[in-house]
Amino acid sequence: MNIRRIFALAYKETLQIWRDPRSLAIALLMPLMQMTLLGYGVSLDIKHVPVCVYDQENNQQTRGIIGDIVSSGWFSISRTLTRQVGIRHAMDRGDCIAAIVIPANFSRRLASTGSAPVQAILDATDVNTTNIAIGYLQGAIGEINAGIDAQWAAAHGIQPSQIGQVDLVQSTWFNETLDSRNFIIPGVVAVILALVGAQLTSLTIAREWERGTMEQLISTPVTALEVMLGKLIPYFVVGLVDAVFCLAAAAWWFKVPFRGSIMTLFVTTALFILVVLDIGYLISVRIRSQLGASQVALLITLLPTTLLSGYTFPIDQMPAPIRALTFIVYPRYYVTILRAIFLKGSGLADLWAPSLGLLIYAVIVIWLAARAFQKRLD
Amino acid sequence: MNAAAPAIIAEGLTKRFQTFTAVDHLDLRIEKGEIAGFIGPNGAGKSTTIRMLCGLLRPSEGHALVAGFDVGQQPEAVREHIGYMSQKFSLYGDLTVRENLRFFGGIYRVARSDMEERTRFAITMAGLQGREDALVRTLAGGWKQRLALGCAILHRPPILFLDEPTSGVEPEARRRFWDLIHDLAAGGVTILVSTHYMDEAEYCNRIALIDRGRLVAMGTPGQLRSRHLGGDLFEISCTPLGAAGQALKDAPGVIDAAIFGDKLHVVLVPGGLDSTTLPGFLQDHGISVQAMRTVAPSLEDVFVQMVSGHHGEQGAP
Ligand SMILES: Nc1ncnc2c1ncn2[C@@H]1O[C@H](COP(=O)(O)OP(=O)(O)OP(=O)(O)O)[C@@H](O)[C@H]1O
Ligand SMILES: [Mg+2]
């Protein structure tokens, strides 16, 4: 590998990008346009929301209430806890997105005052799921209340409408305002960068084949790795500018709270840009026509990215085989990372798993692209 | 690389695309400092051969050594020693003259201390002084091709492959281009150049005539002329032409006699009639001879006949 050659290629590519201002303008403005278009998400039905249960009283009545909640079909109990701190751990690990807490004096309060609270703690990082979960919980509690009312009325000989009930006291963590945009927008940024990034580089090799310059280039001693690095460097800069635009729009235009560090954001974003550019480059190497490469890049980034990255459809609501599939959908790692950085203020240490996912991806794609670049015409 | 070894050797070099054989068992031997011309009609296999010699296509059969390296096994070593101008113009049209030179200088790792001088040389050679900052796509054909040559020789390769460098270039610019080729060869560079302009064959030291993937003939222009005819060509003005032709058909030493316009073209080999006895022979047959002279066939005549004759053979059952 020779720095001089990489530099010569990067310089040439930069000049070509610069001399094509229309494409450059599209590359820089397109993401912003897409941000405004995709900035509003969709909500969808979910089932079997994983919940943790912390039943402080744990008697027949409270167990019955929990059984009623589960039998509604919307929830499944992933853990039964015995301590309050367990909730935080379970949520951090992603074991549950809601915790139902029944206080120790629940039965007594219900009997004496006719009203008792059930607490629901919600991980609102994924606000769609959270909102839907709240709706289901309210529905389930409503039915429980109706049952209690009927029993109470029968026992005391009074009208059901006058009696008390179970109150749902909810508290949301990580995304207190429950603003769905806070959840959707970081995902939108990831999706847009994945789409635009692959488009940026998908043309770079195909263009040289179509113009006939590739035949000249591969007759020189230049290596596959030099060509890749030389070509990626200028697009990396363009990709970073796109990322800055999108992230700035997320923070200032869509007002998503930013609690993390710029450094963490930069490192993970740079890694993600590297992956998406190299995916586009790999496509470009394999498909020697610009039109074909651009279409393939769109096809293989658009559908998996929008459907399987978890940006609107929560990954933990997917059936197991599909969920397994999302591990190869690289934007899912960046979606997770961005939400955590924005909403939880997570640092690199917290994000090692998705970051490692991206890193592995980068290494594999670079290896594949370098191998796919043949200095032959046949 | 051995000083006496040929620059390019090919033995049984073959390229098949699926079932189609584009290059068919080609044998070549090109010495250092030679200008070797590849001549042949469209689709003859010139580009395919050159691409194999540059390591860009893998031979289906046979092998070739360029600068002592096997093109199939050591293509990278081959690339270190060659310059290549592909048939399709292949500089970057959206870069300027100077930027293209700087790019290829970087790719070939031309020492920075040499860059200035070599860039100036290439610009002068291409006749582009004062247009260094013009975008290459705005240049006319002749300038583009000379600049492409300049880029291909920036790293001073000992062997140069030029694939139809003069196609689509006006005659004056073509002559200038050949002057450059001769200058390079005088400097010791081995040059393999393809063309389908027959007149350019005369500018080569040796010519390989290629048709349908086969080497039809190879030699100096002079060798090809006489080898093809198998003897010396004479042009005779006489009357009546038809009777003269008949009389000469079976005469000793005559291998061909044909009416050519209002004259007779006769090919003679030593051992029978010759230029002194032939007029008398004709007069004995009652034919009056006005004039007789030797003529040199043009290479174009030679090639046209060789290629069409070759086709005839192939067409026969
Ligand atoms: N990649 C390929 N796949 C299939 N056939 C090919 C391929 N490349 C060349 N050919 C065929 O091989 C034959 C020889 O082509 P080649 O380009 O070598 O001819 P050429 O002598 O350079 O002709 P021209 O004067 O038109 O440039 C042609 O019939 C061509 O169609
Ligand atoms: Mg050709």
Side-chain angles (χ1 to χ4, degrees), chain B residues 304-314:
Chain B
V304 167
Q305 191 175 337
M306 274 186 171
V307 167
S308 55
H310 185 63
H311 286 185
E313 278 164 39
Q314 285 205 330

Side-chain angles (χ1 to χ4, degrees), chain B residues 166-182:
Chain B
T166 54
S167 76
V169 172
E170 63 276 25
E172 176 57 29
R174 276 169 55 194
R175 259 192 301 281
R176 275 194 66 181
F177 198 92
W178 276 96
D179 288 342
L180 296 176
I181 292 178
H182 280 273

Side-chain angles (χ1 to χ4, degrees), chain A residues 309-328:
Chain A
S309 68
Y311 109 97
T312 47
F313 306 92
I315 287 173
D316 41 66
Q317 296 303 318
M318 296 173 184
I322 306 271
R323 203 160 55 224
L325 206 60
T326 65
F327 283 98
I328 63 164

Side-chain angles (χ1 to χ4, degrees), chain A residues 69-242:
Chain A
I69 291 175
V70 172
S71 66
S72 71
W74 304 114
F75 301 95
S76 58
I77 293 174
S78 58
R79 272 162 162 275
T80 306
L81 304 170
T82 50
R83 293 187 314 144
Q84 183 81 21
V85 291
I87 296 172
R88 176 74 203 227
H89 290 311
M91 279 189 183
D92 278 350
R93 272 196 301 273
D95 287 350
C96 66
I97 63 156
I100 295 170
V101 182
I102 299 184
N105 54 3
F106 179 85
S107 305
R108 198 163 31 84
R109 274 180 72 177
L110 189 60
S112 60
T113 67
S115 164
V118 167
Q119 190 188 15
I121 297 169
L122 298 131
D123 177 348
T125 318
D126 179 343
V127 76
N128 263 26
T129 313
T130 311
N131 274 332
I132 293 162
I134 290 171
Y136 295 157
L137 264 179
Q138 281 164 341
I141 301 270
E143 284 188 26
I144 292 166
N145 283 339
I148 292 173
D149 290 353
Q151 286 170 18
W152 221 77
H156 293 79
I158 51 172
Q159 291 299 311
S161 62
Q162 297 173 351
I163 57 169
Q165 53 192 316
V166 177
D167 298 324
L168 182 68
V169 183
Q170 69 186 53
S171 67
T172 52
W173 288 0
F174 305 129
N175 185 5
E176 298 81 358
T177 54
L178 264 190
D179 188 338
S180 73
R181 272 195 286 170
N182 291 355
F183 168 74
I184 294 282
I185 296 294
V188 169
V189 172
V191 167
I192 289 173
L193 290 181
L195 292 180
V196 172
Q199 286 294 324
L200 279 180
T201 42
S202 69
L203 302 179
T204 176
I205 294 287
R207 193 191 301 129
E208 297 225 20
W209 280 114
E210 280 182 6
R211 294 186 185 170
T213 51
M214 186 51 86
E215 184 162 345
Q216 192 72 43
L217 190 56
I218 60 176
S219 77
T220 73
V222 76
T223 69
L225 206 57
E226 286 161 358
V227 173
M228 173 164 42
L229 293 179
K231 280 180 168 286
L232 288 190
I233 288 169
Y235 286 108
F236 188 70
V237 175
V238 176
L240 277 185
V241 172
D242 279 340

